[in-house]
Amino acid sequence: MTHPPSVPPIADEQLAYARWLDRGAKAGFLALVAGFAAYATGFLPSQIPFDRLPELLALPLDRYLAATGTTPGWAWATMVAKGEYASLVGIAVLASCSVPCLVAIIPVYLRRRDFVYAALAALEIAVLALAASGVLTAGH
């Protein structure tokens, strides 16, 4: 009779990261579905009429922005009450999932007195925040 191979223990930081990643992925997915449903059903008013979408989506970005009155960058966050922007909340949640995961593992590293990894996680949070801020944009 053969025994199944033993499963190695899972590190505390891996469990914490996975727990928060699972929550974030589920929240992001729900936000995507809810935003799309609100747009597709007409529950939220749209800025761009459905019949103009094929024409507008064929345009180069600069012409699309001008034709729709859309501002690039974080301006979408002020327009989430419009149907076509509502699902972007889900994308933003999914894109930022790693931040709460990293926040969750810092205390695990600190309890173990693993200061280098705690500092690296904090530094990664800072880099992600800087990247999301739009401060380092080029060509705009």
Side-chain angles (χ1 to χ4, degrees):
M1 179 172 180
T2 61
H3 296 284
S6 62
V7 177
I10 300 171
D12 290 340
E13 68 272 16
Q14 291 175 330
L15 288 172
Y17 195 99
R19 188 171 25 257
W20 281 96
L21 185 59
D22 181 58
R23 291 173 185 160
K26 287 176 181 170
F29 178 73
L30 288 175
L32 275 171
V33 169
F36 178 75
Y39 176 50
T41 62
F43 181 76
L44 291 176
S46 61
Q47 178 173 327
I48 303 165
F50 279 119
D51 60 343
R52 289 205 58 215
L53 282 178
E55 162 202 342
L56 293 170
L57 292 176
L59 296 175
L61 178 61
D62 59 337
R63 291 185 40 213
Y64 170 84
L65 294 174
T68 60
T70 303
T71 306
W74 281 97
W76 69 267
T78 64
M79 297 185 281
V80 295
K82 299 284 187 180
E84 57 265 57
Y85 294 98
S87 60
L88 293 179
V89 172
I91 294 171
V93 170
L94 290 171
S96 62
C97 273
S98 60
V99 173
C101 298
L102 291 165
V103 170
I105 64 173
I106 290 173
V108 176
Y109 287 136
L110 292 175
R111 276 193 301 275
R112 284 200 318 226
R113 303 185 57 77
D114 205 342
F115 301 119
V116 172
Y117 280 118
L120 287 172
L123 184 61
E124 188 169 352
I125 292 167
V127 168
L128 289 169
L130 180 63
S133 73
V135 172
L136 302 177
T137 60
H140 292 287

